[in-house]
Amino acid sequence: MRDLGAGLRYLGQGQRWVLTRGRWFGFGLLPALITLVLYAAVLTALGFYADDLAAWATPFADDWGSVGRMLTRGVFAVMLWLAVLMLAVVTFAAVALLIGDPFYEKLSEKVEESEGGVPEGAVEQPLWRELWTSLTDSLFVLSRTLVFTVPLFALGFIPVIGQTVVPVLGFCVSGFFLALELTSVAMQRRGIPVRERLRMLRGRKALALGFGVPLTLAFLVPLLAVPLMPGAVAGATLLVRDLTGTAAGAPGNGHRHPGAQAAPPPAAPHVQQPPQAQPGPYAQPGPYAQPGPYAQPGPRPQQPPR
């Protein structure tokens, strides 16, 4: 539960970071806006041709009664559109990051500078190399996403379960891989390959879900993905600083990349003991002298005769 709350907190902190720095908020809007227009065109076209695709995919229903045929193909069309929508939510960040790679790279770097500085040994690559790495990493994430979304699409036809459990699992899968995609900017800066990123987030699933699931739900709201995208990149950068142990106050179980050297713990300060007072050569023990806290017990002194 602690990681779940931490993921949600990083999402909110990222949005607050860009909103308090209007220049960087506007800096990240354009790539997201271009991506939204492209995805809206694809989903609109799919809505128009969903019935034709359903008829092509279900030839076995041609000889059924009109009610059964229409119901089966209607459910297929709706499930197909929803599956593509969920896939669009996951890949929206990937396409936006690919289009606006220089924008989001600079934004993420500024977030790191404001939180204590870019980590030492940051990997610098030419733009074409960064774009190629982003493309191959996004294809890797997409392939892993399909491994889960295709079976969930099939399970969606099961009564009751398909309308209750499957959507919840679908949001969790989409949120996890959305978090994986958004963390790629800060992870690439550290030279961490995509398979290692996946392993790191699997080790702290609650952190990834706390960040990605609310963002997935928000991305489903029309036009909301555009203003949330800059803050999502900023929040993902804060999350990466937690995962790699570079965040201020990061928990002790944060993952540290194998190439990073752990800073040695600070040495305990030396406390100098005050010197013990030494009795002078003519000091006489008085009758009211009290033993110190570390005095050794000895024979009780005799009182002088009155």
Side-chain angles (χ1 to χ4, degrees):
M1 292 300 296
R2 180 181 177 183
D3 266 356
L4 197 66
L8 183 60
R9 185 172 66 253
Y10 287 134
L11 179 60
Q13 288 176 351
Q15 300 300 327
R16 185 168 61 250
W17 193 94
V18 295
L19 289 177
T20 55
R21 297 165 176 83
R23 174 172 174 264
W24 294 104
F25 176 70
F27 199 68
L29 286 180
L30 184 59
L33 184 60
I34 295 173
T35 306
L36 179 66
V37 172
L38 294 174
Y39 273 67
V42 172
L43 289 171
T44 302
L46 179 62
F48 278 110
Y49 293 101
D51 291 338
D52 295 334
L53 290 174
W56 171 81
T58 57
F60 53 84
D62 290 342
D63 298 330
W64 293 4
S66 58
V67 176
R69 182 173 63 251
M70 291 178 60
L71 182 62
T72 301
R73 290 177 174 173
V75 171
F76 182 91
V78 171
M79 293 299 298
L80 176 63
W81 195 87
L82 289 177
V84 173
L85 178 62
M86 296 302 296
L87 194 61
V89 169
V90 175
T91 58
F92 178 88
V95 176
L97 290 174
L98 190 62
I99 294 175
D101 184 87
F103 297 88
Y104 294 127
E105 173 67 29
K106 193 66 177 177
L107 190 154
S108 176
E109 184 178 334
K110 288 297 180 183
V111 173
E112 301 232 47
E113 290 177 356
S114 69
E115 293 296 317
V118 178
E120 296 182 1
V123 178
E124 296 290 341
Q125 294 181 342
L127 179 59
W128 70 268
R129 183 67 179 177
E130 289 182 358
L131 292 175
W132 175 253
T133 303
S134 298
L135 178 60
T136 55
D137 289 353
S138 297
L139 291 176
F140 174 85
V141 175
L142 177 61
S143 65
R144 291 300 185 273
T145 306
L146 291 175
V147 169
F148 292 93
T149 54
V150 171
L152 287 176
F153 174 77
L155 292 174
F157 292 95
I158 301 176
V160 182
I161 295 178
Q163 292 74 48
T164 54
V165 178
V166 172
V168 173
L169 293 177
F171 282 121
C172 290
V173 170
S174 299
F176 179 86
F177 285 105
L178 181 59
L180 177 62
E181 192 65 60
L182 286 167
T183 55
S184 63
V185 178
M187 292 287 197
Q188 287 180 16
R189 184 178 299 114
R190 289 161 171 80
I192 303 176
V194 64
R195 295 178 185 274
E196 176 68 9
R197 300 172 213 162
L198 180 60
R199 191 189 70 81
M200 291 166 64
L201 287 178
R202 279 177 177 169
R204 297 180 66 181
K205 292 186 182 70
L207 183 66
L209 293 177
F211 182 88
V213 172
L215 193 60
T216 299
L217 295 173
F219 276 12
L220 293 176
V221 179
L223 305 179
L224 194 56
V226 174
L228 288 181
M229 189 62 188
V233 174
T237 302
L238 298 174
L239 187 148
V240 169
R241 291 179 67 85
D242 184 341
L243 279 175
T244 56
T246 52
N253 63 345
H255 177 91
R256 184 178 297 276
H257 186 56
Q261 297 294 329
H270 176 70
V271 179
Q272 185 175 2
Q273 297 294 336
Q276 300 292 332
Q278 300 295 330
Y282 304 104
Q284 299 293 329
Y288 304 105
Q290 300 296 327
Y294 303 105
Q296 299 296 324
R300 182 180 183 86
Q302 300 295 326
Q303 298 291 336
R306 296 186 180 273

